[in-house]
């Protein structure tokens, strides 16, 4: 919404217990891979505890539509990036 009116805002979102932060490259919101494993099952994001977490969290579906990108980002980070599915809010009067 902010970008639509010319405000350059970065995305910060909760992905279950993990935090996803968008870098200036705007290539998705990074999730700390040492702490969390993010994935997708049936188009829905999931999260699990990463190798360095002392508490265990098995793969947990989040009910959030999206996808995950892996590999080096243009910013240099190797952390996975989440991309949330776009949603369209239509008022009842605009539906045909």
């Amino acid at each position: 919404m902010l970008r639509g009116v010319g405000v350059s805002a970065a995305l910060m979102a909760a992905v279950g217990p993990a935090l996803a932060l968008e870098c200036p490259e705007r290539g998705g919101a990074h999730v700390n891979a040492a702490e969390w494993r993010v994935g997708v099952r049936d188009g829905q994001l999931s999260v699990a505890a990463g190798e360095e977490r002392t508490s265990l969290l098995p793969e947990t579906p989040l009910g959030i539509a999206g996808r995950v990108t892996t590999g080096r980002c243009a910013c240099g980070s190797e952390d996975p990036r989440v991309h949330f599915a776009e949603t369209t809010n239509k008022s009842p009067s605009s539906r045909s």
Side-chain angles (χ1 to χ4, degrees):
M1 181 176 205
L2 291 173
R3 289 185 197 150
V5 294
V7 176
S8 180
L11 175 70
M12 180 180 356
V15 181
L19 185 62
L21 301 168
E22 188 175 47
C23 71
E25 298 298 327
R26 306 270 193 236
H30 294 272
V31 176
N32 183 338
E35 295 285 326
W36 304 104
R37 288 188 344 258
V38 290
V40 177
R41 182 173 295 189
D42 299 325
Q44 304 288 308
L45 296 173
S46 64
V47 66
E51 300 283 327
E52 295 185 17
R53 291 207 58 89
T54 57
S55 60
L56 299 177
L57 176 68
E59 181 181 4
T60 304
L62 300 174
I64 301 170
R67 63 185 174 87
V68 175
T69 302
T70 57
R72 183 179 295 272
C73 177
C75 74
S77 173
E78 295 281 350
D79 286 332
R81 297 172 312 279
V82 295
H83 305 265
F84 300 100
E86 296 286 330
T87 59
T88 304
N89 293 326
K90 292 184 178 180
S91 67
S93 63
S94 67
R95 294 183 191 145
S96 3

